[in-house]
Amino acid sequence: GRSVAAISKTELLRVLYQQHGWEPSTSENELFDIIISGGGMVGTAMACSLGLEPNLAGKKILLLEAGHKKEMNRVPETYSTRVSSISPGSATLLSLGAWDHIVNMRCKPYNKMQVWDACSDALITFDKENLQDEMAYIVENDVIVAALTKQLQTLSDHVEVQYRTKVVKYTWPHPYHVSESIPWVQVTLANGKTLHTKLLIGADGPNSMVRREAGIPTVKWNYDQSAVVAVLHLSEPTENNVAWQRFLPTGPIAMLPLSDTESSLVWSTSHQHAEELLQLDEESFVDAINSAFWSNENHSELVETAGSLFRMALSVLMPDSGSARQLPPSVAGIGPKSRVMFPLGMGHATEYIRHRVAIIGDAAHRVHPLAGQGANLGFGDVAYLTKVLSQAAFNGKDLGKSMQHLLEFETERQRHNLPMMAAVDLMKRLYSTNAAPMVLLRTFGLQATNTLPPLKEQIMAYASK
Amino acid sequence: MYSKKLARLAFGLLAEPTFKCTLTRSVSSRVNAVRTLCSWTVCLHHRRKNPLSEGLTRLNVRTVSQTTLDPAEVRKFQAMASKWWDLQGEFAALHSMNDLRVPFIRDNLLNVHGIRQLGKPLAGLRILDVGCGGGVLSEPLGRLGADVRGIDPVEDSVRTAELHSSYDPDLRERVRYQACTLEELAEEELEGFHAVVASEVVEHLADLDAFASCCQQVLKPGGSLFITTINKTNLSYVFGIVAAEQLLRIVPSGTHDWEKFVSPEDLERLLESFGFYVEAIRGMMYNPLTGAWSWQQSTAINYALHAIKRKEEPQPGQVWPESENLDEPGRATNYS
């Protein structure tokens, strides 16, 4: 009986191949289980995470990156301008090897965050109870990518990486089993080769080609703001473990610690103002920064009075809470050639998944940097998608076709990401004006929140995931 | 096409008397249904003789054993063969049942054998999927690393299964299909499998004794038998037949015959008499609103059963050792 069955199957395959001009060798060599398109922070983290997952051992995984390999044997003297605030949750994800590399290279933990208004005295501080624990870490983006790349090299028998590889086209399969068609996603590269994969993960940034070609509708708008980033030299060395953010009417200005003598600047402001700032000479730029943090010119009498009255009322109700206002360290100079600007916008893909496709990181969601959450949301996507794919593999499922598991990823992450994005967007709009009613509203809101430790803990817990 | 089938059938039946005498001598004395074997082997010889010149059409209608399979049942499934892999189609409930069946099989096999290989927990295990249909259960087991043989008397289903698994090089190597019955296979594969899976099959069989006997033959000593089927209760009539087939159309109408349902107690008794001990019975429930299955306490409607083939002759008061090292040649025991 067995010989008859074997012959008929070969016969079947021969007919199939003849009909499509397939060569068995090509389709077998180039069929991957997972292809990740985009080797930035989130894409490389995804590759590491999948490579370390025991239930996915033996699966063929490939990471495609258009740029060159980012290695860092020694950390450069000067700090780079693009940094991210890494929450403890993300640090846990990265702790699978990459975090050690980051710690060995360069990172700065901070224990406290002070956020205050330029139009009033309202302020809010976040810190862990005993000020000894770290709240989060400021890490340069280059360091993160280099650390992940180093980790990925140790996983070379699980994950293959192709650098300097650009994708020109994606071809999607039919969602249902149509005989005589290839059921996999086809990825066509600039060098003419075509790869097949059972699951495509798009980690290719805010202008994601995967998302666009899959036809996933995206809600997006541009803020009429750009962010100016720079590396600041402080006037004097200090135990630099506080993150500062002040909401000016034109936009938030943030100073994030990098070391005892240096901090990173992220100043979101109107396009015009941003360009002006870039044109200023170093001294004037430094003055602008100091004045932005220190001056009270935006205070109005009404708001000041109302604010202090409210604060007195609150101190009666909750005597112990409320923090003393501290002022950030003053800036003396900026790092050489370190001023850059980039436009800001918000974007959210309405779906994170399609048949045999999933998108993660900035490809799925793009936020304003004012809450420092962009990278963390991406790392959260990586952690959850890995978990879901691990479960699917352990149940013997076809990874790209198991809509049940992919939907679980989408639902869970949208549930987490959307409120965060809405809150960030709301904050941005709320603080973009100096009209008295809005100022009063946010003053009271901020002061009230500052006196409620449980609420602050909730906010911190949510942002730390 | 049908005239050809009828002609072949007629030829097969006519040829029977000629072959009968030679065959009975070679038939193993273990199998009860001698007549069954004759009719099946006739077809087999007949197929071997027929060249492949007719392309993909094969002998579509097989003469069916009267002792285990119902000819009417076989005809029923032929009509459904092409719809196997439509996830929202008629077999949607069967696809979603994998969420229970695959972990049940995997975990019980892991308990016995331990993890063989990371990423491929069932590597090295040979599993027989009886009544594999379109390969709905065979494929996930293959992906978990097992060497799966799927058998089904309906050739169209086997074709569908082969076609579906042919695209994936992983599965091509590990999952093989064969259009035959269990009795036929039992001759060739004595004690060849670590596990036998008969999911949603037992309720379609006419002779459970022969089935149990064949399972016992093809399993290695200490091997596992996994069965999922429907209980024979009033509740299962209401939900399994009336609701599922006629009202909600979860399963095509006429798929099940309540008379053929087996209660877990009867099944357990039967298996014990054939040298198995039943290790676990769990109730299953289907939620038509979500389309999902879940485990439940009550076995009143659907249930899953795990039995292990005893390694030695049963003796009163003996304590059974844990099954390990199944690859050692076991003592073949004869239960008639």
Side-chain angles (χ1 to χ4, degrees):
Chain A
R2 201 187 310 190
S3 55
V4 178
I7 293 167
S8 59
K9 186 166 36 165
T10 322
E11 183 79 357
L12 192 80
L13 289 175
R14 187 167 68 75
V15 169
L16 262 178
Y17 289 160
Q18 267 176 355
Q19 277 176 343
H20 305 289
W22 284 2
E23 286 158 40
S25 56
T26 327
S27 51
E28 278 178 42
N29 288 343
E30 310 285 46
L31 173 63
F32 290 91
D33 288 288
I34 304 176
I35 289 185
I36 304 165
S37 184
M41 273 197 290
V42 174
T44 317
M46 188 81 222
C48 280
S49 185
L50 292 175
L52 286 166
E53 177 52 46
N55 285 335
L56 296 171
K59 297 262 186 271
K60 288 183 72 178
I61 305 171
L62 172 69
L63 172 66
L64 295 175
E65 163 59 24
H68 58 88
K69 188 170 177 181
K70 298 197 173 56
E71 286 177 290
M72 203 186 268
N73 291 323
R74 255 178 342 117
V75 182
E77 291 256 330
T78 50
Y79 282 88
S80 50
T81 47
R82 300 300 302 271
V83 303
S84 295
S85 168
I86 301 298
S87 68
S90 299
T92 313
L93 166 75
L94 297 170
S95 72
L96 304 166
W99 191 249
D100 290 335
H101 300 312
I102 290 177
V103 166
N104 286 337
M105 289 189 222
R106 192 151 66 191
C107 81
K108 186 80 176 76
Y110 61 95
N111 304 3
K112 187 170 139 179
M113 182 152 96
Q114 177 175 299
V115 179
W116 73 111
D117 201 337
C119 298
S120 76
D121 273 342
L123 76 82
I124 186 168
T125 57
F126 293 100
D127 50 44
K128 292 260 173 99
E129 276 194 15
N130 48 10
L131 263 192
Q132 299 292 333
D133 277 352
E134 289 137 3
M135 241 181 87
Y137 308 84
I138 301 293
V139 192
E140 294 152 90
N141 290 358
D142 288 345
V143 168
I144 299 177
V145 177
L148 287 167
T149 305
K150 196 164 174 185
Q151 182 63 23
L152 204 50
Q153 270 172 276
T154 65
L155 300 169
S156 55
D157 44 353
H158 293 285
V159 184
E160 193 186 317
V161 191
Q162 286 182 27
Y163 291 101
R164 306 199 130 285
T165 305
K166 195 160 156 24
V167 176
V168 295
K169 192 168 113 147
Y170 295 103
T171 313
W172 312 114
H174 285 289
Y176 45 89
H177 178 62
V178 175
S179 59
E180 303 173 14
S181 73
I182 302 177
W184 320 121
V185 176
Q186 295 173 65
V187 180
T188 313
L189 306 176
N191 61 15
K193 275 171 74 172
T194 300
L195 309 171
H196 295 173
T197 178
K198 296 179 191 171
L199 174 67
L200 175 72
I201 299 180
D204 45 353
N207 298 320
S208 165
M209 182 181 163
V210 173
R211 185 189 72 216
R212 197 172 59 238
E213 301 241 328
I216 296 177
T218 313
V219 175
K220 61 178 168 194
W221 50 81
N222 289 321
Y223 294 127
D224 48 2
Q225 282 187 349
S226 286
V228 174
V229 288
V231 174
L232 309 173
H233 295 309
L234 305 177
S235 310
E236 29 182 65
T238 167
E239 201 197 338
N240 200 2
N241 57 5
V242 182
W244 310 95
Q245 176 151 286
R246 192 180 199 197
F247 281 101
L248 307 172
T250 47
I253 179 170
M255 191 191 296
L256 307 168
L258 289 173
S259 73
D260 286 348
T261 52
E262 285 176 68
S263 288
S264 173
L265 172 80
V266 184
W267 191 347
S268 314
T269 180
S270 67
H271 295 306
Q272 196 189 3
H273 189 217
E275 278 175 27
E276 281 168 26
L277 285 173
L278 283 183
Q279 304 298 339
L280 291 175
D281 61 285
E282 188 175 318
E283 226 185 285
S284 317
F285 185 61
V286 166
D287 283 342
I289 296 172
N290 283 326
S291 134
F293 274 116
W294 290 46
S295 96
N296 286 337
E297 64 190 8
N298 283 306
H299 286 199
S300 75
E301 278 234 20
L302 164 68
V303 173
E304 271 204 36
T305 329
S308 50
L309 273 176
F310 193 63
R311 210 174 330 130
M312 277 198 294
L314 279 176
S315 60
V316 166
L317 289 170
M318 310 204 51
D320 280 338
S321 54
S323 2
R325 179 181 352 187
Q326 288 182 284
L327 282 173
S330 72
V331 181
I334 56 174
K337 291 190 283 189
S338 81
R339 258 186 284 178
V340 209
M341 87 181 227
F342 55 91
L344 299 176
M346 201 223 61
H348 191 253
T350 52
E351 297 160 46
Y352 288 2
I353 58 161
R354 278 282 163 92
H355 180 65
R356 297 199 184 279
V357 184
I359 50 175
I360 56 174
D362 278 0
H365 40 73
R366 182 186 174 202
V367 287
H368 196 283
L370 65 83
Q373 289 303 310
N376 294 319
L377 292 182
F379 290 134
D381 291 346
V382 167
Y384 206 79
L385 185 56
T386 306
K387 175 175 148 198
V388 150
L389 290 177
S390 165
Q391 276 172 4
F394 196 49
N395 282 349
K397 294 209 187 253
D398 179 339
L399 293 179
K401 213 168 166 192
S402 171
M403 284 309 271
Q404 179 200 5
H405 283 93
L406 292 178
L407 266 172
E408 197 192 317
F409 157 73
E410 182 190 73
T411 312
E412 173 59 31
R413 288 311 297 168
Q414 286 196 335
R415 238 181 241 161
H416 180 266
N417 295 342
L418 277 168
M420 171 72 75
M421 295 174 70
V424 169
D425 192 64
L426 179 68
M427 293 271 279
K428 189 259 166 206
R429 288 173 197 284
L430 193 60
Y431 279 91
S432 291
T433 169
N434 53 0
M438 293 304 268
V439 175
L440 280 173
L441 175 69
R442 70 199 194 207
T443 302
F444 295 159
L446 205 60
Q447 283 178 334
T449 312
N450 196 33
T451 59
L452 294 170
L455 180 56
K456 286 205 287 187
E457 265 160 47
Q458 283 292 331
I459 296 173
M460 278 194 350
Y462 194 70
S464 300
K465 269 197 279 197
Chain B
M1 188 174 77
Y2 287 97
S3 55
K4 272 193 202 162
K5 281 191 208 168
L6 279 171
R8 286 201 207 109
L9 182 60
F11 183 77
L13 288 172
L14 283 170
E16 201 179 48
T18 331
F19 286 115
K20 201 173 186 174
C21 304
T22 37
L23 285 176
T24 34
R25 262 181 257 138
S26 61
V27 163
S28 158
S29 55
R30 288 184 201 187
V31 180
N32 293 331
V34 171
R35 188 155 173 268
T36 317
L37 204 64
C38 286
S39 49
W40 277 116
T41 325
V42 159
C43 285
L44 202 59
H45 281 272
H46 182 68
R47 283 182 78 203
R48 281 201 192 106
K49 282 185 180 177
N50 257 345
L52 301 168
S53 53
E54 307 193 63
L56 296 178
T57 355
R58 296 279 178 266
L59 185 63
N60 284 327
V61 175
R62 310 283 306 269
T63 50
V64 171
S65 151
Q66 279 158 350
T67 53
T68 57
L69 284 167
D70 212 290
E73 302 272 337
V74 177
R75 269 194 289 278
K76 209 161 46 182
F77 277 105
Q78 268 165 3
M80 301 175 194
S82 57
K83 305 194 185 123
W84 282 100
W85 286 96
D86 182 0
L87 290 178
Q88 268 74 49
E90 290 172 21
F91 295 109
L94 216 53
H95 281 277
S96 65
M97 203 199 279
N98 276 348
D99 294 337
L100 291 189
R101 305 188 278 187
V102 174
F104 184 65
I105 297 169
R106 173 198 75 209
D107 292 343
N108 279 304
L109 287 176
L110 286 180
N111 278 342
V112 172
H113 300 269
I115 284 220
R116 314 284 241 161
Q117 200 185 327
L118 276 184
K120 302 232 179 293
L122 301 180
L125 297 179
R126 295 192 73 215
I127 303 183
L128 175 66
D129 185 3
V130 180
C132 63
V136 173
L137 180 55
S138 306
E139 287 201 4
L141 293 175
R143 279 197 201 95
L144 289 176
D147 277 307
V148 183
R149 181 85 66 86
I151 63 172
D152 199 285
V154 180
E155 241 183 273
D156 284 349
S157 305
V158 168
R159 285 284 161 272
T160 312
E162 275 174 348
L163 180 63
H164 195 264
S165 69
S166 67
Y167 291 101
D168 189 344
D170 265 346
L171 293 178
R172 235 182 278 155
E173 266 121 60
R174 267 198 288 277
V175 184
R176 294 219 180 84
Y177 295 101
Q178 208 170 327
C180 67
T181 61
L182 185 54
E183 290 96 330
E184 221 167 46
L185 198 75
E187 282 178 75
E188 299 171 7
E189 297 275 357
L190 288 177
E191 300 198 346
F193 293 99
H194 293 95
V196 170
V197 177
S199 179
E200 306 303 299
V201 155
V202 154
E203 66 264 27
H204 298 286
L205 298 178
D207 184 353
L208 285 179
D209 281 2
F211 167 78
S213 165
C214 291
C215 287
Q216 196 269 344
Q217 283 164 55
V218 298
L219 269 177
K220 294 184 197 280
S224 292
L225 172 62
F226 297 97
I227 294 179
T228 76
T229 185
I230 310 181
N231 199 345
K232 190 173 183 177
T233 60
N234 291 327
L235 212 58
S236 74
Y237 184 75
V238 171
F239 285 100
I241 307 261
V242 176
E245 287 187 15
Q246 286 151 21
L247 294 177
L248 298 172
R249 310 251 170 214
I250 300 165
V251 186
S253 189
T255 303
H256 290 124
D257 175 7
W258 189 79
E259 292 301 325
K260 293 224 185 85
F261 290 174
V262 186
S263 75
E265 293 81 24
D266 288 341
L267 191 56
E268 180 167 4
R269 214 175 304 130
L270 171 74
L271 291 174
E272 298 263 334
S273 74
F274 275 92
F276 289 92
Y277 75 93
V278 173
E279 205 254 336
I281 302 183
R282 294 179 79 175
M284 297 158 59
M285 185 181 67
Y286 181 68
N287 182 340
L289 295 171
T290 60
W293 288 85
S294 53
W295 294 114
Q296 64 166 10
Q297 283 283 49
S298 152
T299 56
I301 313 174
N302 294 78
Y303 65 93
L305 179 148
H306 173 217
I308 297 185
K309 172 176 166 176
R310 290 191 202 281
K311 276 184 166 172
E312 296 160 21
E313 287 274 333
Q315 275 164 36
Q318 188 180 18
V319 174
W320 293 104
E322 285 288 298
S323 327
E324 16 183 316
N325 220 341
L326 294 187
D327 298 315
E328 270 176 11
R331 232 178 52 215
T333 43
N334 197 345
Y335 297 98
S336 45

